Every structure is written in structure tokens, then in C-alpha cells.
């Protein structure tokens, strides 16, 4: 559980950094990886499904704005 949660935090941080720096190319790579990691954590029960949905929504909304 700790490893899965840590992985989610790491990829989220990378994706958010790409979005904040307005780097569309990097965001195209990091956002899908983050969404995948969040989905994996949800399926394992590490994070709640609504928490995961909120995180994915924020990432995808930020990436769409680029």
C-alpha cells in the first residue's frame, strides 16, 4: 500500500509540474501515466474511488487547458 500510494504521489507531482510549467508535450506523457497509476491504486483499494476520480479530473482539466 505504501509503495502504491508513493507511486501515485510521484507521478501526480510530475504531471502537475508539467501543467504548471505549461509544457504541453511533457503533460501529454505524464498525465496518462498519472491517471493509470491512480486507477491502479483505486483497483487495489489504496485510495477511495471518488478521491481518485477527483485527482484524475483535476489533472485532465489542467492538461486540457494547455
Amino acid at each position: 500500500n505504501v509503495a502504491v500510494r508513493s507511486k501515485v504521489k510521484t507521478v501526480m507531482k510530475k504531471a502537475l509540474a508539467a501543467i504548471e510549467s505549461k509544457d504541453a508535450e511533457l503533460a501529454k506523457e505524464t498525465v496518462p501515466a498519472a491517471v493509470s497509476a491512480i486507477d491502479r491504486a483505486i483497483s487495489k483499494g489504496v485510495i477511495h474511488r471518488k478521491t481518485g476520480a477527483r485527482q484524475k479530473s483535476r489533472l485532465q482539466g489542467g492538461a486540457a487547458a494547455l
Side-chain angles (χ1 to χ4, degrees):
N1 285 0
V2 174
V4 174
R5 190 177 297 266
S6 176
K7 178 70 172 175
V8 169
K9 285 182 183 180
T10 303
V11 294
M12 286 267 303
K13 207 179 295 184
K14 287 180 184 176
L16 289 172
I19 291 168
E20 286 178 13
S21 67
K22 301 199 185 308
D23 186 349
E25 288 299 316
L26 186 59
K28 275 186 184 174
E29 296 171 12
T30 56
V31 170
V35 169
S36 176
I38 292 168
D39 283 336
R40 241 179 279 123
I42 292 169
S43 71
K44 293 180 179 186
V46 177
I47 60 174
H48 192 273
R49 64 185 176 85
K50 290 192 177 185
T51 301
R54 184 179 64 245
Q55 291 173 342
K56 291 190 295 184
S57 175
R58 287 178 181 165
L59 283 176
Q60 291 168 333
L66 295 179

